[in-house]
């Protein structure tokens, strides 16, 4: 039986998030487990006038190439994706997996080789999404594997996914437009500031945002959404931070990550699990040990850590920082083959100051700073 919530999600992605119009080249990607997502989004895109192409990803094929291919095969860029990011107008994708650990035991150096092969594709993607010529949005299609990771049944996880995106609202687009208006107030406030100080039980950090732009994330890129972020000065961050939740990248789980940072660079990194992998990633390239993002999560409808960064980085009352590539539209210039988000909980004894003014405490914005109540 068709899940009407999936069809409603497709309508939001096509008509709100990426605003597909007649003649747009629309590229859709997902793993084979998410074929219903591809079909729903393709139908909505065609209805809107888009010219649809799609790719069904097969993780077993990637596994075989990494395991059994020679260096030439492993180091080949993905030319199909390269064409998509260079020529597409819209790219809609879904994160969905049959097995979230499928690549865990692959050799890290060969995975690194494969990632480096697509550096140029990622550069074009960042440039085109930054200037708006490529409208991309990624979302979650609920699967058994993702539900198990979140310690939920599939039915519970489906409810979680669609509720996090406010798909159950009578008019989810209107709801996201209201969120956009509320968050824009804080974006405008932070755009006038140059220095962020973060204090808490696990963090004592100074972050320069001088000359950088804050971005309002309200369902136009990731979906569901709920954050405001910037790319900080990659050479002007100092202090310490211990991340509250496991850091997950490409199926690898690293626990209790803690950094000491000087002049924007991680100079000491520890973890109680996965430390070798963490150090390997920090050495991936010159930009991997610096930060491409500083963000505040604003989706207070997401309260549970699910081991899925799409949702976890949006948890209301948290901040997150990302190692690696930055966002040109935010003024960032750090370049790397990775972008690895890590989350710190601010809901207990957390404070954030902007140019010396306290504007955020215990996981909540202080509306009085803006001179009134929220919209």
């Amino acid at each position: 039986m068709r899940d009407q919530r999936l069809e409603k999600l497709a309508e939001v992605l096509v008509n709100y998030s990426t605003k597909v119009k007649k003649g747009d080249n629309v590229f859709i990607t997902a793993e084979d487990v998410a074929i219903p997502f591809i079909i729903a989004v393709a139908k909505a895109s065609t209805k809107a006038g888009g010219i649809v192409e799609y790719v069904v990803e097969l993780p077993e094929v990637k596994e075989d190439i990494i395991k059994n291919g020679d260096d030439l095969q492993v180091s080949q860029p993905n030319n199909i994706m390269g064409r998509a990011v260079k020529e597409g107008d819209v790219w809609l994708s879904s994160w969905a997996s049959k097995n979230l650990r499928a690549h865990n035991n692959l050799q890290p150096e060969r995975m690194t080789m494969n990632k480096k092969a697509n550096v140029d594709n990622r550069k074009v993607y960042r440039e085109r999404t930054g200037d708006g010529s490529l409208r991309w949005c990624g979302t979650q299609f609920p699967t058994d594997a993702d539900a198990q990771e979140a310690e939920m049944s599939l039915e519970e996880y489906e409810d979680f996914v669609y509720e996090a995106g406010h798909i159950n609202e009578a008019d989810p687009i209107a709801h996201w437009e209201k969120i956009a208006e509320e968050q824009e107030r804080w974006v405008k406030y932070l755009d006038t500031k140059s220095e962020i100080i973060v204090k808490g039980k696990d963090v004592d950090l100074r972050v320069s945002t001088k000359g950088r732009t804050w971005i309002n994330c309200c369902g136009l890129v990731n979906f569901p959404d709920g954050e405001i972020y910037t790319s900080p000065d990659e050479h002007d961050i100092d202090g310490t931070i211990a991340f509250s939740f496991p850091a997950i990248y490409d199926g690898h789980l690293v626990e209790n990550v803690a950094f000491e940072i000087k002049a924007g660079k991680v100079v000491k990194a520890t973890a109680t699990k996965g430390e070798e992998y963490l150090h390997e990633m920090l050495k991936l390239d010159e930009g991997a040990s610096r930060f491409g993002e500083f963000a505040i999560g604003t989706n207070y409808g997401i309260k549970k850590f699910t081991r899925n960064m799409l949702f976890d980085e949006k948890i209301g009352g948290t901040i997150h920082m990302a190692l690696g590539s930055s966002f040109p539209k935010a003024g960032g210039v750090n370049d790397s083959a990775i972008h690895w988000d890590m989350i710190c909980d601010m809901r207990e004894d957390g404070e954030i100051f902007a140019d010396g003014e306290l504007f955020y405490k215990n996981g909540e914005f202080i509306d009085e700073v803006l001179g009134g109540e929220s919209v």
Side-chain angles (χ1 to χ4, degrees):
M1 186 173 70
R2 294 188 308 177
D3 189 334
Q4 292 183 346
R5 295 174 301 181
L6 177 58
E7 295 179 0
K8 198 172 179 182
L9 170 62
E11 292 289 339
V12 173
L13 294 174
V14 168
N15 297 315
Y16 169 71
S17 300
T18 57
K19 297 179 176 58
V20 174
K21 62 184 184 297
K22 186 175 179 61
D24 277 341
N25 292 312
V26 180
F27 192 67
I28 306 168
T29 60
E31 285 191 16
D32 54 346
V33 72
I35 285 177
F37 167 85
I38 294 176
I39 294 171
V41 173
K43 286 182 175 180
S45 298
T46 299
K47 183 179 179 181
I51 301 168
V52 173
E53 293 184 87
Y54 60 93
V55 166
V56 180
E57 300 168 356
L58 302 173
E60 295 88 350
V61 173
K62 179 176 180 179
E63 179 184 5
D64 181 69
I65 292 170
I66 299 298
K67 278 184 176 179
N68 302 314
D70 59 27
D71 286 354
L72 177 64
Q73 292 168 316
V74 173
S75 63
Q76 287 301 302
N78 188 326
N79 293 320
I80 295 175
M81 299 306 296
R83 176 175 169 265
V85 297
K86 290 174 184 175
E87 300 178 15
D89 299 302
V90 173
W91 179 13
L92 288 160
S93 62
S94 174
W95 296 286
S97 300
K98 290 180 292 190
N99 182 351
L100 292 166
R101 303 288 182 266
H103 297 158
N104 273 24
N105 296 320
L106 298 180
Q107 294 173 288
E109 61 271 19
R110 290 176 70 76
M111 291 292 286
T112 298
M113 184 187 302
N114 187 254
K115 289 182 186 301
K116 286 183 175 179
N118 287 288
V119 167
D120 289 343
N121 286 347
R122 281 187 289 271
K123 182 178 180 181
V124 173
Y125 162 80
R126 290 197 301 272
E127 290 173 349
R128 294 200 63 219
T129 54
D131 66 21
S133 59
L134 176 64
R135 286 119 58 202
W136 173 81
C137 190
T139 191
Q140 179 69 44
F141 176 79
T143 69
D144 283 306
D146 294 294
Q148 288 171 346
E149 189 76 353
E151 299 181 352
M152 301 180 194
S153 70
L154 179 58
E155 183 177 353
E156 289 170 336
Y157 191 64
E158 287 171 338
D159 290 342
F160 166 79
V161 167
Y162 293 121
E163 287 172 6
H166 307 292
I167 297 302
N168 294 329
E169 296 284 337
D171 187 346
I173 290 178
H175 191 85
W176 280 105
E177 288 172 342
K178 184 177 180 181
I179 291 172
E181 185 180 354
E182 169 66 25
Q183 292 183 171
E184 189 63 22
R185 300 162 72 236
W186 288 106
V187 164
K188 290 179 178 178
Y189 167 81
L190 290 168
D191 272 343
T192 68
K193 310 301 180 183
S194 298
E195 182 181 77
I196 302 297
I197 301 292
V198 187
K199 298 282 188 179
K201 63 178 183 177
D202 297 317
V203 57
D204 184 1
L205 203 63
R206 183 192 64 81
V207 180
S208 174
T209 59
K210 185 176 182 180
R212 302 302 167 93
T213 300
W214 286 80
I215 306 298
N216 182 353
C217 294
C218 51
L220 302 180
V221 182
N222 288 340
F223 195 92
D225 221 332
E227 66 173 293
I228 57 176
Y229 75 86
T230 191
S231 288
D233 186 329
E234 40 284 300
H235 296 283
D236 198 2
I237 305 171
D238 295 285
T240 59
I241 184 167
F243 295 97
S244 311
F245 304 104
I248 303 170
Y249 189 77
D250 206 16
H252 291 264
L253 185 146
V254 185
E255 295 183 349
N256 297 308
V257 175
F259 290 149
E260 180 181 347
I261 306 160
K262 292 184 179 179
K265 187 179 180 69
V266 175
V267 296
K268 182 179 180 182
T270 60
T272 58
K273 179 180 179 180
E275 187 172 282
E276 182 180 353
Y277 179 78
L278 175 64
H279 289 166
E280 183 76 21
M281 290 297 101
L282 285 166
K283 296 184 293 183
L284 181 63
D285 51 43
E286 178 61 29
S289 58
R290 298 185 182 275
F291 293 90
E293 180 182 8
F294 176 86
I296 303 172
T298 61
N299 191 330
Y300 293 91
I302 304 174
K303 299 179 175 64
K304 177 180 171 63
F305 182 73
T306 63
R307 294 179 174 83
N308 184 329
M309 191 55 64
L310 173 65
F311 302 99
D312 297 338
E313 70 174 2
K314 316 296 193 318
I315 296 172
T318 66
I319 63 168
H320 61 273
M321 299 179 71
L323 289 170
S325 62
S326 59
F327 300 97
K329 64 181 178 181
V333 296
N334 198 48
D335 190 26
S336 175
I338 67 168
H339 182 90
W340 188 356
D341 294 291
M342 302 180 183
I343 307 162
C344 183
D345 199 333
M346 298 294 290
R347 290 173 288 191
E348 184 179 339
D349 300 323
E351 295 180 325
I352 310 180
F353 301 80
D355 289 356
E357 181 177 41
L358 179 67
F359 74 94
Y360 185 95
K361 185 175 178 64
N362 296 335
E364 300 277 354
F365 291 97
I366 302 172
D367 282 311
E368 288 77 11
V369 170
L370 300 182
E373 296 297 320
S374 62
V375 295

